[in-house]
Amino acid sequence: MKVGLSISFACVIGCVCLASLADESGDKGDWTVSGDVVVDAAGVTCSSITFDGNATVSGGPVTLGAGGITVGDGVTAEIASVIAGSENFAVTGAGYFKSQLTLSGANTFTGEMSISKLNFHAANDLAFGSPEGKTIFTSKDTCSDSKLTCGDDYARLCFDGIDTSEPFETYYDDSSARRFVWSANTTNVLRGAVVNKIGRVHFWAGANAFTVLSNDWSGISYDADQSSSTSARFEVFGQMSGLHRINFCQGTWVFHQRVGSYSSGKYGSEISKNSRMIMAATNVFAAADDAVQAYGVGLWGDDTTAVFDLNGYDQRIDAFGCVDGTTPQHYGKLTVTSGEPAVLRYDNVRDTEFFGVFTGAVSFSVEGQKTLTMSGASTSTGDLTVAVGSVRLAATGVWSGDVRVDDGASLTLMASGNLSEDATLTLGETGKVTLSGAA
């Protein structure tokens, strides 16, 4: 089943009746609904439904044709009846903040549903009908100012405590556009495939929301929107592929499987302030053979309140900040930690400065040819290994654990306090340590 969606304020789907009629039945054709309607137990059939006033359709089933559902300007509608039928249909409104539609029936329709230009609210597991089809979520506008300024073609998809195997596709004609998938304070489980054709998808959750993403994803820029609550939690199970970037702006994200491949070398994974990314599998961002990604994976951070938690699982990344080095303001200011011993392997694909810190039991292994400058005062009890390339501990840089410099690698100390007094420094036969400014 397909669902295409552009949302105004809420979502409503179904066939509707005229002003406050009761016990509707039979073939309604192109049906206009202006008020609450109760459908007879025998049900109604219609080719399309137009809501031109606030209304709720309840009672017996509604068999909907290809004409779809239209929600008028300023209208809030709900279809509580079961929506049946096999036709593909569209759900559309007058624009975000203008039209709202809620589907709350145990729907059985098998066609594709396309949603656009309104706020669409899925109130239960069967809101999207049978997973034989797919839901297509489309938008031709974006929002700014934390979603407060939205064009009429902007769309939002709202989940309210659902567990669905529905496959989803999202479309937009501008790669910078954003569509929001929103959950208030409920647990939502998405088990079907999610394919993003172009643009970004933001997952926005309210306080204490626990949204579970449990499916195969492809082509998506994941964005936990800036307005998400810091107490929101997202669990990701399943493979992702063709990713442009993942942006964690608020809340906690837990990854239980490899992310997969990236389709862009510029970005990678960004963790913004007050966010936490927790690993629940090894090498979540590495390629299947644990080699460097074809495009590289950058780990961004803009504040030490942004946390990359290895959680006892070894990980591998290619750079701090953008892999191509075009955005220096994102050159890795975050906290890397782990409660249990774990190793972060760093491929060091370009010269980088890391402004963040290592804490807990993380060990750090630098394995690329470029130079990494470390400026943060780390407290990790793990080891620092310079296996390949060069590490420079700046005047403010501190490593508390033991240090090893392998053959052909180099370590530069810029201050006397760069290493702990209790640290053990081990050099390979051709490993080099330079004291530059250190007493």
Side-chain angles (χ1 to χ4, degrees), residues 224-225 228-234 248-253 271-277 307:
D225 180 69
S228 292
S229 167
T230 56
S231 60
R233 182 179 178 93
F234 300 82
F248 307 90
C249 294
Q250 295 285 357
T252 297
W253 290 71
I271 314 173
S272 294
K273 65 180 67 175
N274 301 316
S275 300
R276 190 177 193 92
M277 187 192 302
V307 178

Side-chain angles (χ1 to χ4, degrees), residues 40-51:
D40 184 81
V44 298
T45 299
C46 59
S47 57
S48 68
I49 303 171
T50 298
F51 288 95

Side-chain angles (χ1 to χ4, degrees), residues 24-31 43-48 63:
E24 290 293 318
S25 62
D27 188 347
K28 312 304 289 186
D30 292 323
W31 203 1
V44 298
T45 299
C46 59
S47 57
S48 68
T63 301

